[in-house]
Amino acid sequence: MANNLKPYKVTFKTKSGIFCANVAMAESKQAVETYYTGKYGWCAINDCKPYELETAQRKGMPIKTIN
């Protein structure tokens, strides 16, 4: 992953009403918000703590890279 990308914790709501959570790597919070609101409509974005990123990697959870 590029050094200028920061991890963000994203919670979003699918069209079927299911809440999901992802880790997204992006240059800015705005880039993450633009991507997720465009795709899902509603999202909440927070800085991702190091242990949250490590947990996601250890569990093999997908980490979305947003350019």
Side-chain angles (χ1 to χ4, degrees):
M1 291 180 212
N3 290 337
N4 58 339
L5 299 181
K6 297 187 327 186
Y8 295 93
K9 183 173 59 173
V10 184
T11 303
F12 58 96
K13 185 177 178 182
T14 65
K15 291 178 183 176
S16 58
I18 298 170
F19 285 90
C20 301
N22 279 353
V23 172
M25 300 296 293
E27 290 183 6
S28 69
K29 185 176 179 179
Q30 181 63 43
V32 177
E33 185 175 13
T34 299
Y35 176 83
Y36 279 91
T37 56
K39 190 165 184 168
Y40 298 104
W42 180 89
C43 68
I45 304 161
N46 296 297
D47 290 336
C48 186
K49 295 181 173 69
Y51 77 88
E52 293 170 318
L53 179 59
E54 291 169 7
T55 299
Q57 290 170 329
R58 187 178 69 248
K59 289 183 174 182
M61 297 170 68
I63 298 174
K64 176 71 180 163
T65 301
I66 299 171
N67 295 324

